Amino acid sequence: MSNKLYSTDYGKYYLGKCEETIQELKLKEKVQLILTSPPFPLNNKKQYGNLNGEEYLTWFTGLAELFSSVLAPNGSIVIEMGNAWEKNRPVQSLLHLNSLLSFVNNEKAGLRLCQEFICYNPARLPSPAQWVTINRIRAIDSFTHIWWMSNSDYPKADNRRVLRPYSKKMKKLLESGKFNSGKRPSEHVISEKGFLTDNHGSISHNVLELEQIDEDRELRLPYSMFSISNTKSNDFFTKTCKEKGIVPHPARMPLELASFFIEFLTDEGDLVLDPFGGSNTTGFCAEKLKRQWISIEANMDYGKQSIIRFKEPSLNSSIKMGAFEL
């Protein structure tokens, strides 16, 4: 491909519009997971190229058929999308929700919604600033929606790969071997040994906390998210961008979020696709987890800065430049 910016041990990063590049790559039924955070449907256009209004809705809905066509028969699509607000009004827009609904309801795509997730991130800047910090009539928007979709009722998935560490209370219960069994007010009947099997961790929730909501409660990230958090704590990418005077992509997907779904929905060697690659969080996490990956991005500047991720010493990944020399 003439628009390949670079490749690594496991992946390739292309410059161009995702619609055209996906068609050129001939990926039909080869992708196990599409993991992406598309440009948000904002009322004011930003540098990373979002559309707005009905134009956005039409464009986004049309992507469903294209994305579905490249999925493996048991593949998944995971889309992160934040909230949108009406221009100059303290009112949430319905555009992002209508876009997601229209995407999954596109009859030509044959998709279904497997589950909705919420990603809570207290580190997000107070927004929308006008109504939160100036007029002070709204609360901080601190979460994004994540929709997990598939072309199958039973896509590849295993929640045992994204277990959370047991709570202190559960660890004590396993040590004691005793449990208050019997009938609950909910009319569920708990057997004597129903909670005494050590499954090496508890099943993850569909609310993903990047930091704990309750500071007095222990944060129990899934093991996959915890391992990537160790990378984030050192944040080679952000520090290097700062040193070089580079302004990072303004809407980066959290590393923990990407690693969670890659672990949950793929095996080593599977192909992960990000049609809106940006600074390439998806490719970076896929590389660390030994998955094949392809990322596509229309903005050359974001493509250039994404190379920094693969220079992180702990990754030990080789980079080969493509047709575009930097």
Side-chain angles (χ1 to χ4, degrees), residues 11 59-60 86 121 123 135 149 227 299-300 303 312:
W59 167 76
F60 190 74
E86 296 288 350
N121 184 3
N135 294 79
M149 295 163 276
S227 64
N299 187 303
M300 168 73 88
E312 182 177 308

Side-chain angles (χ1 to χ4, degrees), residues 239-252:
K239 287 198 303 184
T240 305
C241 283
K242 187 175 182 179
E243 290 169 0
K244 293 180 177 291
I246 297 171
V247 179
H249 191 290
R252 302 187 300 280

Side-chain angles (χ1 to χ4, degrees), residues 94-235:
L94 297 178
L95 181 56
H96 66 296
L97 294 175
N98 287 335
S99 298
L100 286 165
L101 285 169
S102 185
F103 182 94
V104 76
N105 281 324
N106 186 328
E107 294 182 356
K108 295 180 180 180
L111 298 172
R112 63 277 280 151
L113 179 62
C114 297
Q115 195 166 18
E116 182 181 6
F117 288 73
I118 295 295
C119 182
Y120 167 70
N121 184 3
R124 286 168 61 97
L125 292 174
S127 65
Q130 178 66 43
W131 313 120
V132 175
T133 60
I134 300 174
N135 294 79
R136 302 183 76 87
I137 57 175
R138 293 294 182 269
I140 295 174
D141 223 347
S142 60
F143 74 91
T144 55
H145 304 265
I146 301 100
W147 278 27
W148 169 27
M149 295 163 276
S150 179
N151 52 5
S152 166
D153 286 7
Y154 299 96
K156 179 188 288 187
D158 190 341
N159 64 27
R160 291 168 295 187
R161 293 193 293 237
V162 286
L163 295 175
R164 301 188 305 159
Y166 281 131
S167 65
K168 293 177 181 178
K169 185 176 180 180
M170 185 63 186
K171 290 176 181 177
K172 288 181 179 179
L173 186 151
L174 290 171
E175 290 174 4
S176 67
K178 297 178 182 179
F179 184 72
N180 183 21
S181 59
K183 193 172 184 178
R184 297 293 189 265
S186 63
E187 298 188 359
H188 288 95
V189 178
I190 308 298
S191 66
E192 291 184 7
K193 297 184 178 180
F195 282 88
L196 297 180
T197 301
D198 187 353
N199 292 305
H200 308 294
S202 62
I203 297 171
S204 291
H205 297 183
N206 68 337
V207 175
L208 304 175
E209 299 177 60
L210 302 190
E211 295 179 25
Q212 63 264 51
I213 296 175
D214 180 358
E215 292 184 359
D216 295 328
R217 179 175 54 81
E218 179 187 6
L219 177 64
R220 293 187 293 129
L221 291 174
Y223 291 109
S224 59
M225 292 174 68
F226 181 78
S227 64
I228 207 77
S229 288
N230 290 338
T231 298
K232 184 179 179 182
S233 65
N234 198 25
D235 211 346

Side-chain angles (χ1 to χ4, degrees), residues 10-25:
Y10 288 93
K12 298 173 183 177
Y13 190 105
Y14 294 94
L15 290 171
K17 291 185 177 181
C18 73
E19 300 95 315
E20 299 170 359
T21 306
I22 288 174
Q23 295 283 12
E24 293 174 358
L25 290 173

